[in-house]
Amino acid sequence: MVTYIQNFIFAYVATIGFAILFNTPKSALLKAGFGGAVGWLLYSFINFKSDNIVLATFIASFFIALIGEIFAITNKKPITVFIIPGIVPLVPGFGIYFTMLSILEKNYTKAAQYGSEALLISISIAGALTIVLTLNSYRKKKQPIKIK
């Protein structure tokens, strides 16, 4: 339990750091941090229970996008203000790094392993964001203007 609380706090601070780096408005910093921290907490829990990093990343990205959507509607700010900093902790930087390192070491089997995992994680992030943003586009659909 303590580990999850620590993960939440560290992810919260890290997400706020990325939000500052991306020039997020001051009024949205704490909410962006909350979205990233909840996403990381979900990611950690699901990855621990299922040992499936791609599924954990997909579900965490999905909830980060949902939280960002709610904050964007309530605060009247663009959704990117909330989801971009929240997604950054989930980006598979370690996988991409180890892919390049394995290529330099001419260990192509490990490079393929790390590279395919990083690619699947990236696709799961993109897929989750696409699903949430698509659902939102249906909500915003307005009636066509009738010309008399």
Side-chain angles (χ1 to χ4, degrees):
M1 184 66 176
V2 174
T3 308
Y4 287 120
I5 293 170
Q6 287 176 338
N7 279 342
F8 184 86
I9 292 169
F10 292 147
Y12 191 82
V13 171
T15 304
I16 289 176
F18 280 113
I20 291 170
L21 184 68
F22 296 142
N23 292 324
T24 300
K26 289 179 184 176
S27 62
L29 285 177
L30 298 178
K31 292 174 182 164
F34 178 76
V38 168
W40 184 258
L41 199 64
L42 277 170
Y43 167 79
S44 299
F45 181 75
I46 294 168
N47 192 26
F48 176 73
K49 290 293 184 185
S50 71
D51 199 31
N52 187 343
I53 194 169
V54 177
L55 176 68
T57 305
F58 179 82
I59 293 172
S61 299
F62 187 84
F63 278 98
I64 288 170
L66 277 177
I67 291 168
E69 184 67 37
I70 292 166
F71 286 152
I73 291 168
T74 58
N75 295 333
K76 296 183 174 42
K77 293 197 182 324
I79 189 170
T80 54
V81 167
F82 301 104
I83 62 172
I84 298 298
I87 291 295
V88 170
L90 299 177
V91 172
F94 69 92
I96 296 168
Y97 170 77
F98 283 121
T99 301
M100 292 296 117
L101 183 64
S102 298
I103 290 171
L104 291 174
E105 293 174 346
K106 297 186 187 328
N107 189 347
Y108 300 115
T109 306
K110 282 231 184 231
Q113 178 185 356
Y114 289 125
S116 61
E117 185 178 85
L119 182 64
L120 288 173
I121 291 170
S122 301
I123 290 170
S124 71
I125 291 171
L129 294 179
T130 302
I131 290 169
V132 172
L133 296 176
T134 303
L135 293 174
N136 181 42
S137 69
Y138 287 117
R139 183 188 60 79
K140 288 184 177 179
K141 195 170 186 177
K142 296 180 181 175
Q143 297 295 327
I145 299 173
K146 295 181 183 178
I147 299 175
K148 294 181 183 180

